[in-house]
Amino acid sequence: MNLSHLESVLYFDKVTVKGISDISLSDRSCAFRSDFVPILHFGSEVTIVTKISGIPFLKVTGSVYLSSKRFMRVQPITLALYKNAERLCEVPVRVAATKTSKGLLSGRKRAECTIVACSAKTMVLTGDIFPERGDGTIDLAVCDPIFFGETTIRLKYSGDGMFFGKSQKKARYVYKIVKIEKRNYSEYMRFIRACTIERLAKSLK
């Protein structure tokens, strides 16, 4: 999760300042930079709202540790994920799935694969996946822990692939989600949100 160079707004009392933030989960700190930063006393409580593409992402609260005219370090920090912020996240997972695709010379083919990352619009798959052999559009059957019951979604290869080692089965391919029922999509987004919150909580321990 990249938490560097985030568009941010610093709030203290009636003061509001726009700037850029870098969050370090390992240090439980947030570095805020701007052309002008109010110089505050050590221990002053501030709030920083980070955004991605103008959409509120994380709410950072904590105590001022360092303060100068262009830089402020807040430490330790607590984080809260804004509503719908999960639409901005990609989370690493390891979820078994079954793909169904149309073969070049045969009918429908089924094969096992694994979802290794997912976001609001894409899934990254590995395993028996060969987009260059006709797996451009696939139906993917997935169940726990993403969905409450077995759910089929339609994916289309985005043209992005990453190879690891000599075996093509270790390659990772990015697929776009092109068809999913509204109810199932709500379950999917709840899963991504829960994973994001869990990752943040573990990193802040």
Side-chain angles (χ1 to χ4, degrees), residues 4 13 21 24 30 50 56 82 85 91 98 107 126 149 154 169 171 175:
S4 299
D13 197 11
S21 291
S24 172
C30 177
T50 66
Y82 270 87
V91 294
T98 302
T126 189
R154 182 155 295 167
K169 286 191 175 182
Y175 280 77

Side-chain angles (χ1 to χ4, degrees), residues 101-110:
S101 59
K102 187 176 181 180
L104 293 176
L105 301 175
S106 60
R108 304 293 287 180
K109 298 170 60 178
R110 292 174 63 87

Side-chain angles (χ1 to χ4, degrees), residues 100 108 121 123 136-141 151-157 175-181:
T100 306
R108 304 293 287 180
K121 296 181 179 180
M123 285 186 169
T137 300
I138 61 175
D139 289 334
L140 199 70
T151 300
T152 299
I153 59 179
R154 182 155 295 167
L155 305 176
K156 184 176 179 63
Y157 179 51
Y175 280 77
K176 295 179 182 178
I177 299 171
V178 295
K179 186 177 180 181
I180 183 172
E181 291 187 9

Side-chain angles (χ1 to χ4, degrees), residues 62-74:
S63 302
V64 174
Y65 187 80
L66 293 173
S67 184
S68 68
K69 292 181 179 179
R70 294 193 175 185
F71 173 84
M72 180 181 293
R73 182 173 179 176
V74 180

